[in-house]
Every structure is written in structure tokens, then in C-alpha cells.
Amino acid sequence: MNSGAIGTAVHYTLLWLLVNQWAVQPVWASTCGAVAGAATIYGLNYVWTFASDLPHRRTLPRFIAIALTSMLLNLAIMYALTKGLKLHYLLAQVVATGVCLGLNYLASRYWAFKPTTT
């Protein structure tokens, strides 16, 4: 299993719990899940996916920028699909995940965790 899959599992678990156990609106529950998933993915990407030896003071701000951009994109997609098109929140989340996950990986690989060249 890769870090994206684990982070996505954290995201979806929190999304489902917030909607079904605490009646949080899906758009906001998804945003909370995105934050939890991003935190999980950062740690796993740093240690496992990219085996980075770069200092956190370099990688973390870049990853936060990527995560915030992705979170806003996720929020916009969820809002458009659940409020505008009236899709079920889990189907909308699958679409949002498909868009955001690939973009996050590429931005992380080629910017946040890219080794410095000497």
C-alpha cells in the first residue's frame, strides 16, 4: 500500500464518520478529512515514498502549500458536485480524490520533496 492510499483511507474514514455519526455537512466533513489525510501523507511521503533527507523547514512549507491548494480544490469540487449537481457525497469525493491525488503526487515529487542538485 502506498502513502496516497493510506492518506485517502484516513480522509474517507473521517469523512464518513463526520457525516454519518455527527451529522456534519459533507463539504465540511470532506475538508476535515482532507486535512487529516494530508498530515498522514506528509509523514509517509517524507519517510517512505520519497525517503527524503531534506530538512522539514524546506519540505513542510512546500507540502503545506500543496495541501492547502488541494484542500481548496477538493472543497470546490465537493461543493459543485453535492450542492450543484446533487451527487451523493461519496461519489463526489471519488471525483475530487481523482483530481487532487494525482496533482498532489506530482507537486510533491517535483517540488516539495525534490532533492537539491549540487
Side-chain angles (χ1 to χ4, degrees):
M1 189 173 282
N2 66 34
S3 60
I6 294 168
T8 301
V10 168
H11 181 160
Y12 278 62
T13 300
L14 187 55
L15 167 63
W16 186 88
L17 285 171
L18 289 173
V19 170
N20 293 291
Q21 300 299 313
W22 294 293
V24 174
Q25 291 295 316
V27 172
W28 300 115
S30 177
T31 301
C32 292
V35 170
T40 302
I41 290 171
Y42 175 77
L44 293 173
N45 275 349
Y46 189 88
V47 173
W48 185 16
T49 305
F50 301 115
S52 182
D53 60 358
L54 298 170
H56 289 288
R57 70 180 178 276
R58 178 181 181 268
T59 58
L60 186 57
R62 290 178 180 200
F63 188 84
I64 288 171
I66 293 164
L68 287 174
T69 302
S70 180
M71 184 184 67
L72 291 173
L73 180 58
N74 180 80
L75 186 141
I77 292 168
M78 287 295 292
Y79 185 85
L81 296 180
T82 60
K83 302 291 185 185
L85 295 179
K86 306 291 187 208
L87 290 181
H88 187 273
Y89 76 94
L90 288 176
L91 179 57
Q93 188 60 67
V94 168
V95 173
T97 299
V99 172
C100 295
L101 202 56
L103 294 173
N104 288 351
Y105 175 80
L106 292 171
S108 292
R109 178 181 175 111
Y110 294 107
W111 185 52
F113 295 101
K114 182 180 180 182
T116 55
T117 56
T118 55

